[in-house]
Amino acid sequence: MYVDPPAPRPRQPGENPPSTSGGVLDSQPRAWEFNPEYQRLVTAWQSVLPLLESLTSSLDKAYQLARSPQTWDAPVGARYVEDLQEWRTRLSQYRQAVLTSISDEAADTPRWIPSAIGAPHAFS
């Protein structure tokens, strides 16, 4: 059993962009926008997680039914249970890989990026 990696955090109501740091251009106003690439990762996480949960619960239900003594009374039953266990393991590894790749990408993607709107331009 794996533990899911941290999910990318969606923008919270009232969340403000980062404040400007001390530098040469601090007198200039800086506009920030929530990074659309980060939002894409949040959306991907939110869309893939329910699908993975549905697959996991379906396989778990079939596995529990297959292990029941009322379901199988032949050697083929043991092979079927082993196959289902293998599919559960593969699904668990797949889930871990997908969620980890989204989480790692989100960790490397800034939540806020400078916006071109309101940026100072020469000759404007």
Side-chain angles (χ1 to χ4, degrees):
M1 185 73 183
Y2 297 103
V3 176
D4 288 342
R9 293 179 298 122
R11 183 175 180 188
Q12 302 298 317
E15 181 180 358
N16 294 323
S19 60
T20 57
S21 61
V24 179
L25 297 176
D26 270 354
S27 61
Q28 299 293 329
R30 175 171 264 184
W32 293 90
E33 67 176 314
F34 196 73
N35 191 346
E37 290 299 314
Y38 191 88
Q39 181 59 43
R40 182 184 59 81
L41 294 168
V42 169
T43 304
W45 181 283
Q46 291 172 344
S47 62
V48 90
L49 191 61
L51 297 173
L52 290 170
E53 292 289 340
S54 173
L55 286 171
T56 302
S57 65
S58 297
L59 255 178
D60 287 346
K61 183 178 177 182
Y63 179 73
Q64 293 302 324
L65 288 172
R67 291 187 60 205
S68 171
Q70 289 85 19
T71 305
W72 297 102
D73 191 22
V76 71
R79 289 193 306 266
Y80 185 71
V81 169
E82 289 172 8
D83 286 347
L84 280 175
Q85 180 58 41
E86 177 63 28
W87 281 107
R88 288 175 72 212
T89 302
R90 288 182 186 181
L91 179 61
S92 159
Q93 292 170 345
Y94 178 74
R95 173 190 177 115
Q96 184 70 20
V98 168
L99 294 181
T100 298
S101 66
I102 294 173
S103 180
D104 288 350
E105 184 71 23
D108 294 339
T109 304
R111 288 175 53 83
W112 295 90
I113 56 174
S115 174
I117 299 171
H121 296 286
F123 311 112
S124 56

